[in-house]
Amino acid sequence: MFAAVTFAALVVVGSVSPPRDPDVVRKSFVIIKTTRDYGEARALAAAAAERLAIRMDLRDLAPDREVGLTFSEDACKNEFGEYPCYVPRGRWDDGVYLSVEHSSSYEGFDEGLYLVVLASGSPRDRAIGAAVRRAKGAYPDLVVKTAPVYLGCIH
């Protein structure tokens, strides 16, 4: 006679995470305000820098109809070979500063807005929490948004 043999299989149902791209990291951005008006964003950044005694770092960016913000024509052509060009914050410039950035370059952010940024860094970076505590009284509507940032070569 045949012996009954039972096989058991363990089936795991669920999602398997795709391989993690080592050139992409999550960064948090402390945003005081968003606006469609660059002049308003720049004025608010300057006022916040003075009010909070935090340096302003606009990275020599200028408004541009095509990409929102751009570096100078010389800088773009020397670095990337084309103009206009914009590299979003979060690559190698974590810290506390006042800046104006453009939302369209950040995954998950609403398109076409100028962001008044107070700080950026790793989501668990103590500087992010300190910046929020420092500014929350003066800017109660500030938000912290997290987005993936590409750190690889962009040439």
Side-chain angles (χ1 to χ4, degrees), residues 20 32-33 38 41 43-44 52 54 61 67 79 84 99 112 122 133 137 147 152:
R20 198 176 140 267
I32 291 177
K33 180 169 175 91
Y38 176 78
L44 180 59
L52 299 171
I54 294 174
L61 292 167
V67 296
E79 189 66 28
S99 180
S122 168
R133 288 188 299 278

Side-chain angles (χ1 to χ4, degrees), residues 25-28 121-126 128-129 144 146-147:
V25 298
R26 304 237 5 120
K27 294 289 178 114
S28 289
S122 168
R124 293 191 179 109
D125 188 337
R126 290 181 182 192
I128 298 295
V144 178
T146 302

Side-chain angles (χ1 to χ4, degrees), residues 52-138:
L52 299 171
I54 294 174
R55 72 183 171 89
M56 195 154 102
D57 181 7
L58 297 177
R59 302 188 299 152
D60 295 325
L61 292 167
D64 180 82
R65 287 188 182 154
E66 188 177 331
V67 296
L69 288 171
T70 186
F71 293 101
S72 71
E73 186 171 359
D74 285 345
C76 287
K77 287 186 175 177
N78 288 336
E79 189 66 28
F80 304 106
E82 59 185 56
Y83 174 81
C85 67
Y86 175 71
V87 178
R89 286 273 189 188
R91 291 177 57 80
W92 308 109
D93 54 3
D94 294 350
V96 178
Y97 51 81
L98 266 300
S99 180
V100 176
E101 302 300 325
H102 199 263
S103 66
S104 298
S105 294
Y106 297 92
E107 185 179 315
F109 285 30
D110 291 338
E111 297 277 322
L113 299 172
Y114 293 102
L115 314 170
V116 180
V117 176
L118 172 63
S120 67
S122 168
R124 293 191 179 109
D125 188 337
R126 290 181 182 192
I128 298 295
V132 169
R133 288 188 299 278
R134 184 172 183 178
K136 191 70 171 171

